[in-house]
Each structure stands twice: as C-alpha cells, then as structure tokens.
C-alpha cells in the first residue's frame, strides 16, 4: 500500500514538473505549442499562448501578453483575422520551410509566418524578453539574425524597441492597426504609421482620411507635439536615411513599462505607463490631445490656438474667406490673403513662431540649402507659400522645406520649446504694415520702460529728500530742546554778583574755581555755583559761551 502511494506521489510530481517545464521561451521542429501551454520569455516579461478576449466566447487566438500583469494585457495577436472556434489549435515549426504554422486539428493552417528565401538548417521559434517573437536558425552564431519577427507585423500595440516606419529598400511598411472592438482583435480602420511625401511624418488615419498629424520632425521632436524629451519614463527617436525611415522609443528605466495603443472606439493613440503599486496601466498621454490636433480643424490658412476664443484664427496677413460662416463657427472654408499677392513686383514673408508645420502633401524639400537660400528659392517661385529650416538631427543643421498652395493643419503653441518657425508669404504692403507695427510696438515698449525708470528715479529721489528733511527736522527739534533746557536753567543761575570773569580763549572762571575751556562754537555741559560758605554745586546743562563776555549776555 505504501509503495502504491509513493508511486502515485512520484507520478504526480513528474506530471507537475513536466507542465512547469513547458514554461520555456523556445520551441524547435520536434516540439509544438498546444492550447493550454505557453512560452515565457527568459526574463519573465512576456508570455505566448492561446487566449479568448471574451470569456464567454469560444474564439481562440494565439497572442503575446504581459506575463506579470494580473489582467494579462495582450500586445500582439497572430491569427487576428482567423479565430479558432475550439481548443484544438497547435503551433509548430515546419522543418522544410522554417515557417511557424498555426494549425487546426485537421491540419488546416489558420496562420503562418512569411516564407524565407534563406536556407534554414535548424529553425526555432523564440519569444524574447522584449516581447518580440522571432524565427531564427538555431545554428546561426548571431542570435539577432532573424528570419522572421513579430515586430515587423505589429497589431494595435507599440512596444519599446519596435520600429514603426518604412524600409525604403524594399518598401515594406510597419504600421499599427486598432482592434475592431475590445473582444475582436481583427483590424479596425484606425491606423498609425509613417507617411513619406517629400518628408516623413507620423499620421493617424480613420480609414482613408487623415485624422491627426505629428508635423515634421524638427531637431528634437515633432513640430506638432509638445516636447516631452525630459519625461522620466521613455526616450524616443526618429530616423530618416537612405535605407529606412522610422519612429521608435526606449525605456529610460528598464524596471518601468510603457506601451502605445490604438483605441478604435475612442479614436485615440494612447500611451500607458505601468504603476507597480496599483498593478494597473495608467494613461500617460494621448493623441489627439485637444481639439486643435484634429486634422484641418481651422481650414486652409487657419491657425488653431487653444488659448484663444474662438480657437480658430486666420494666419497673420490673412482674413476669413467667408466672414459670415466664420462668425457662425464654420471654419471649413478657411482664410485667404488680406491683400492680394504681387509676385512680379515682389512679396514679403512674415515669421510665425511656435507653430506646427503644415500638411506635407504639397511640400518640397532640399536638404542642401540653408535658410537664406531657401528664402531666395521660395521668393522666385510664385506658388511657394511658406518655407522653413529643415533639420532631422538633434545637433542642429540645415535644409529647406517649402510649401506650395494652401497651408493646412497649423496649430499654435505657447512654449518656446514647442513648434517651429514658419515664414509665410504675404503682400509686400502687409510686410510694411507689420514692420511699422513692430516698430511702434518696440517704441511703445521702450517708452514704457523709460517711463517706469523715471518713476522709479522720482520715487527714490523723493524718499531721499524726505529722509534728509526728517533728519534736519530732528536736528532742529533737538537744538530747540537744548535751548529750552538752557532757558529753564536761567532761573537757577546764581546772581550776577557771583563774579564771573571773561578770560581769553573762552575760558570761564567763577570766583577762584577752576576755569573751563569752551571751544568756539561748541556747547559746554558743566556749570559750577559757589556759595558764601565755600561750598559748590554742579549743574549739568548746556551753556553756549561763544561770543559772550558773561553768562547773562549769553542768555539774554
């Protein structure tokens, strides 16, 4: 009996251990992954397995989710278009082609990785700790030489290290597409990716229509998005060279998690950050972030400013095309030049600061031109409506971007680190008015500053004068008090027959007492009285002796 129980215990342990051992990150040709099993990345960050978005649905999908997230948030789905309606799905590697294939019980394929022209001796499927599922040759000495990777085929989520963009050598495009619904991972019509005309920018689309644009990448970030370079969670970059153009981001702290997700229902591209204390995902930022992020909110040649009412304003040098519609908050028709252009006689340019770059549809780029050459080229072409410096590096640089036709989707920023400077073509007379206005404004500011300076000087001078007058008044009051004390003393001065004598150098001698020297123009505080019996008494008072021959003369 004991042997039977021991045998049963060992069998249970082995079964448990064998199931635990399935939590590996790689499968080979001789192995497979069935419903109920999972791959877990080496660092434990992500897991690959079968799931159902709706617990009441029979539809099963092969996907990747955060392994330590209690809600198992899904970041990638293989068979988005072809759900399995039971638990018979199995994932395996084909030895002949090196493809990963998801099959049903009857061997019907519902999803597979793309074919590779490379010869694969030992194909393996591996889930990396970045969340990237890769097919590679197990005998290849370079572990980063991927035959196929899920990062090239994103679903609705962008993870750190993923590239959203275009391979310019092959034309291959990586683009996010939202789930159709919370319980349906099939692609919706909300997409997000890089679009390259004359220059690239990030575009959020609803179907075929543009919904929100990032603006051109200028030096340190997109011109249409507030500069968040100093945020504590992630860093980001935009690369544009002869081989590829893409946007990517990385985590500043590997212990923090962040992801970008498209939401079909709310029409948003949202960034989330993981809160380890609450074990939840918290919204960090979103696009569109405000009304001015909506594409063409203020029509052609309009400028959307959230700090003004109404938010739609015409660009400097422009006026509403249909004033009545504009007054009724219909901004779709936009604005036109306030004064007609005259290219042959010469137009001017007005600099508009801190704005999002216009739509790139009618953009031309010359990377070899500096800003001065750019202005000259735009001036010669009567169809050129605006220009700016083009710079896709963080270290500053040159390049020319010119817009032709209407300027669409401009947004005004307030912070000096946001947006870009745009030089807009206007009538020469409009430029003259602007210059006069700027001169008047400058003169007004200078006059105001001078006026303030004069007021401050006047106040300081008045305070100084009042202080001096107060000091003089105090001195006079003190002198008057001293004189009053002397007058009070007069009633106590001995009779004149006390025999005072005037001596040279203002020395006073009373009878045979000691004489006291009184410097000219000073006060003496000692007065001595002699009595018939030879006694003396001293009075401490102030007696002015200058110019007197006797005490009584001084007090008269």
């Amino acid at each position: 009996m004991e042997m039977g129980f021991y045998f049963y215990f060992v069998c249970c342990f082995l079964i448990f251990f064998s199931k635990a051992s399935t939590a590996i990150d790689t499968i080979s040709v001789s192995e497979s992954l069935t419903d109920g099993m999972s791959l877990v990345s080496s660092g434990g960050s992500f897991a690959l397995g079968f799931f159902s978005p709706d617990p009441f649905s029979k539809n099963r999908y092969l996907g990747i989710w955060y392994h330590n997230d209690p809600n198992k948030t899904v970041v990638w789905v293989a068979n988005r278009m072809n759900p399995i309606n039971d638990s018979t799905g199995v994932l395996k590697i084909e030895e002949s082609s090196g493809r990963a294939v998801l099959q049903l019980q009857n061997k019907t394929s519902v999803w597979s990785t793309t074919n590779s022209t490379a010869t694969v001796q030992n194909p393996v499927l591996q889930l990396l700790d970045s969340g990237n599922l890769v097919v590679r040759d197990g005998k290849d000495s370079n572990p980063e030489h991927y035959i196929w990777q899920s990062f090239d085929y994103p679903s609705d989520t962008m993870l750190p290290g993923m590239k959203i963009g275009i391979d310019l050598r092959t034309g291959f495009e990586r683009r996010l597409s939202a789930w159709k619904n919370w319980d349906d991972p099939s692609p919706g019509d909300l997409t997000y990716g890089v679009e390259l005309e004359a220059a690239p920018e990030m575009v959020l689309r609803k179907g075929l229509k543009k919904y929100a644009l990032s603006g051109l990448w200028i030096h340190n970030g997109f011109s249409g998005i507030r500069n968040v370079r100093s945020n504590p969670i992630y860093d980001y970059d935009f690369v544009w060279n002869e081989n590829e153009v893409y946007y990517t981001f990385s985590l500043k702290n590997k212990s923090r998690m962040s992801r970008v997700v498209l939401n079909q229902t709310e029409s948003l591209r949202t960034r989330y950050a993981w809160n380890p204390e609450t074990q939840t995902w918290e919204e960090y930022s979103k696009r569109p972030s405000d009304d001015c992020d909506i594409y063409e909110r203020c029509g052609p040649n309009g400028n959307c400013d959230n700090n003004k009412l109404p938010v739609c304003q015409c660009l400097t040098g422009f006026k509403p095309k249909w004033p009545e519609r504009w007054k009724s908050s219909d901004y779709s028709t936009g604005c036109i030049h306030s004064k007609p252009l005259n290219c042959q006689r010469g137009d001017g340019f007005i600099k508009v600061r801190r704005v999002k770059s216009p739509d790139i549809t009618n953009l031309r780029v010359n990377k070899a031109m500096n800003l001065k050459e750019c202005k000259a080229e735009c001036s010669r072409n009567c169809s050129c409506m605006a220009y700016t410096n083009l710079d896709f590096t963080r270290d500053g640089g040159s390049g020319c971007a010119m817009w032709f036709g209407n300027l669409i989707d401009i947004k005004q920023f307030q912070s000096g680190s946001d947006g870009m400077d745009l030089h807009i073509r206007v009538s020469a007379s409009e430029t003259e008015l602007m210059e006069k206005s700027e001169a008047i404004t400058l003169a007004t500011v200078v006059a105001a500053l001078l006026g303030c300076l004069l007021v401050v000087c006047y106040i300081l001078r008045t305070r100084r004068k009042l202080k001096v007058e107060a000091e003089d008044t105090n001195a006079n009051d003190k002198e008057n008090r001293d004189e009053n004390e002397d007058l009070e003393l007069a009633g106590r001065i001995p009779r004149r027959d006390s025999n005072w004598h005037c001596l040279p150098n203002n020395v006073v001698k009373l009878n045979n007492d000691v004489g006291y020297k009184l410097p000219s123009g000073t006060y003496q505080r000692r007065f001595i009285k002699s009595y018939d019996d030879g006694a003396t008494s001293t009075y401490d008072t102030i007696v002015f002796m200058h110019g007197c021959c006797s005490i009584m003369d001084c007090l008269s």
Side-chain angles (χ1 to χ4, degrees):
M1 187 69 180
E2 290 185 9
M3 288 295 294
F5 176 78
Y6 178 75
F7 178 76
Y8 176 78
F9 176 79
V10 171
C11 288
C12 290
F13 176 79
L14 291 175
I15 291 172
F16 175 80
F17 182 79
S18 64
K19 288 189 175 183
S21 66
T22 61
I24 57 176
D25 67 347
T26 305
I27 60 173
S28 61
V29 173
S30 61
E31 299 168 322
S32 62
L33 187 73
T34 59
D35 201 327
M37 300 173 61
S38 63
L39 297 182
V40 178
S41 62
S42 60
S45 298
F46 293 92
L48 170 73
F50 292 86
F51 74 99
S52 293
D54 183 354
F56 301 103
S57 172
K58 293 182 179 181
N59 290 339
R60 302 290 286 171
Y61 297 89
L62 177 69
I64 299 173
W65 58 83
Y66 283 97
H67 183 55
N68 295 319
D69 180 355
N71 295 320
K72 306 299 181 186
T73 303
V74 176
V75 300
W76 181 79
V77 182
N79 55 320
R80 299 182 70 180
M81 302 290 290
N82 299 305
I84 302 172
N85 57 14
D86 56 33
S87 59
T88 62
V90 57
L91 178 67
K92 56 178 62 178
I93 302 293
E94 288 183 348
E95 184 175 9
S96 58
S97 64
R99 296 187 309 160
V101 181
L102 178 60
Q103 296 178 338
L104 301 178
Q105 189 175 20
N106 61 8
K107 306 297 184 182
T108 301
S109 175
V110 296
W111 173 85
S112 68
T113 60
T114 56
N115 288 319
S116 174
T117 57
T119 302
V120 185
Q121 297 180 2
N122 181 30
V124 295
L125 183 71
Q126 183 178 17
L127 178 62
L128 305 181
D129 209 44
S130 61
N132 192 9
L133 181 66
V134 302
V135 177
R136 61 182 182 84
D137 192 338
K139 294 184 177 181
D140 194 329
S141 59
N142 183 2
E144 296 185 358
H145 184 199
Y146 307 139
I147 300 169
W148 177 92
Q149 59 177 336
S150 63
F151 272 16
D152 285 340
Y153 304 89
S155 295
D156 68 330
T157 302
M158 182 180 183
L159 296 174
M162 184 181 289
K163 296 179 180 180
I164 298 298
I166 306 170
D167 188 325
L168 301 178
R169 296 162 296 186
T170 63
F172 182 77
E173 183 176 2
R174 306 174 191 89
R175 192 178 186 91
L176 298 181
S177 59
W179 284 25
K180 187 171 291 185
N181 207 334
W182 68 270
D183 61 348
D184 183 1
S186 62
D189 69 349
L190 186 69
T191 61
Y192 181 68
V194 175
E195 295 191 9
L196 179 61
E197 300 282 345
E201 68 177 338
M202 304 299 295
V203 179
L204 185 66
R205 284 185 179 268
K206 294 181 71 174
L208 298 177
K209 295 182 179 180
K210 294 179 179 179
Y211 182 58
L213 310 182
S214 68
L216 292 178
W217 179 273
I218 301 295
H219 177 53
N220 201 36
F222 292 108
S223 64
I225 302 176
R226 283 187 171 84
N227 193 330
V228 292
R229 182 69 67 182
S230 59
N231 80 85
I233 297 177
Y234 68 98
D235 197 6
Y236 54 92
D237 203 2
F238 193 75
V239 176
W240 180 27
N241 54 41
E242 63 277 6
N243 295 324
E244 56 186 344
V245 53
Y246 64 87
Y247 168 75
T248 188
F249 77 93
S250 59
L251 299 178
K252 292 183 176 180
N253 187 339
K254 300 300 181 182
S255 64
R256 298 292 299 270
M257 295 190 294
S258 179
R259 60 192 174 97
V260 174
V261 184
L262 296 189
N263 187 314
Q264 177 73 37
T265 305
E266 298 181 359
S267 299
L268 290 174
R269 189 227 68 175
T270 308
R271 176 176 290 278
Y272 293 95
W274 178 255
N275 187 330
E277 295 181 357
T278 61
Q279 294 286 290
T280 58
W281 291 97
E282 297 179 349
E283 182 182 298
Y284 191 80
S285 64
K286 63 183 180 181
R287 292 275 298 167
S289 61
D290 54 51
D291 200 33
C292 286
D293 281 338
I294 304 298
Y295 179 69
E296 206 174 359
R297 174 69 177 82
C298 296
N301 307 310
N303 187 6
C304 195
D305 189 345
N306 280 307
N307 293 285
K308 292 184 178 180
L309 287 176
V311 294
C312 286
Q313 307 284 323
C314 286
L315 289 168
T316 304
F318 290 76
K319 63 182 181 180
K321 185 176 182 179
W322 298 102
E324 294 303 321
R325 293 186 183 180
W326 195 270
K327 291 178 182 178
S328 62
S329 300
D330 179 3
Y331 308 113
S332 59
T333 55
C335 307
I336 58 175
H337 280 97
S338 300
K339 297 182 179 181
L341 300 178
N342 192 331
C343 183
Q344 304 302 323
R345 300 182 65 177
D347 295 319
F349 289 90
I350 293 177
K351 180 191 287 188
V352 181
R353 299 181 182 275
R354 297 184 296 276
V355 294
K356 170 186 175 182
S357 63
D359 183 11
I360 62 174
T361 302
N362 298 314
L363 177 70
R364 297 181 190 175
V365 169
N366 188 321
K367 293 184 178 181
M369 285 185 179
N370 58 34
L371 192 61
K372 184 178 180 180
E373 295 168 333
C374 190
K375 178 181 179 180
E377 180 65 21
C378 189
S379 299
R380 286 191 293 267
N381 192 322
C382 298
S383 299
C384 180
M385 290 295 108
Y387 71 91
T388 191
N389 181 64
L390 181 68
D391 174 27
F392 275 85
T393 66
R394 294 191 186 184
D395 301 326
S398 62
C400 175
M402 295 177 288
W403 282 266
F404 296 80
N406 288 326
L407 305 175
I408 298 173
D409 199 44
I410 294 178
K411 175 181 179 179
Q412 184 70 55
F413 291 99
Q414 304 303 317
S415 172
S417 61
D418 296 329
M420 57 180 282
D421 293 341
L422 186 66
H423 303 265
I424 299 175
R425 190 185 207 108
V426 295
S427 168
S429 59
E430 196 75 36
T431 308
E432 293 174 359
L433 288 176
M434 284 293 297
E435 291 175 350
K436 290 180 180 179
S437 176
E438 290 176 358
I440 293 174
T441 301
L442 179 62
T444 303
V445 171
V446 171
L449 291 175
L450 289 176
C452 291
L453 183 61
L454 290 174
V455 170
V456 171
C457 290
Y458 174 78
I459 292 173
L460 293 176
R461 183 177 180 183
T462 302
R463 287 182 176 179
R464 189 179 300 111
K465 183 177 180 181
L466 291 175
K467 183 178 180 181
V468 171
E469 290 178 352
E471 291 175 350
D472 292 343
T473 300
N474 292 336
N476 292 334
D477 291 344
K478 185 175 183 297
E479 182 177 349
N480 292 334
R481 287 195 300 270
D482 293 343
E483 290 179 356
N484 291 335
E485 291 175 0
D486 293 341
L487 291 174
E488 291 176 4
L489 181 63
R492 296 178 291 167
I493 295 177
R495 294 185 300 273
R496 189 175 178 85
D497 58 7
S498 296
N499 193 20
W500 286 82
H501 301 280
C502 268
L503 298 178
N505 296 324
N506 289 331
V507 176
V508 176
K509 187 174 183 181
L510 180 60
N511 292 334
N512 294 320
D513 292 333
V514 179
Y516 294 88
K517 182 175 178 62
L518 302 174
S520 176
T522 63
Y523 292 91
Q524 173 64 39
R525 287 186 175 273
R526 183 58 52 85
F527 179 80
I528 301 176
K529 178 182 179 182
S530 298
Y531 297 92
D532 293 339
D533 58 2
T536 61
S537 63
T538 302
Y539 293 86
D540 290 327
T541 185
I542 301 172
V543 182
F544 181 61
M545 301 300 297
H546 178 64
C548 302
C549 186
S550 69
I551 285 291
M552 297 310 297
D553 290 339
C554 288
L555 297 176
S556 61

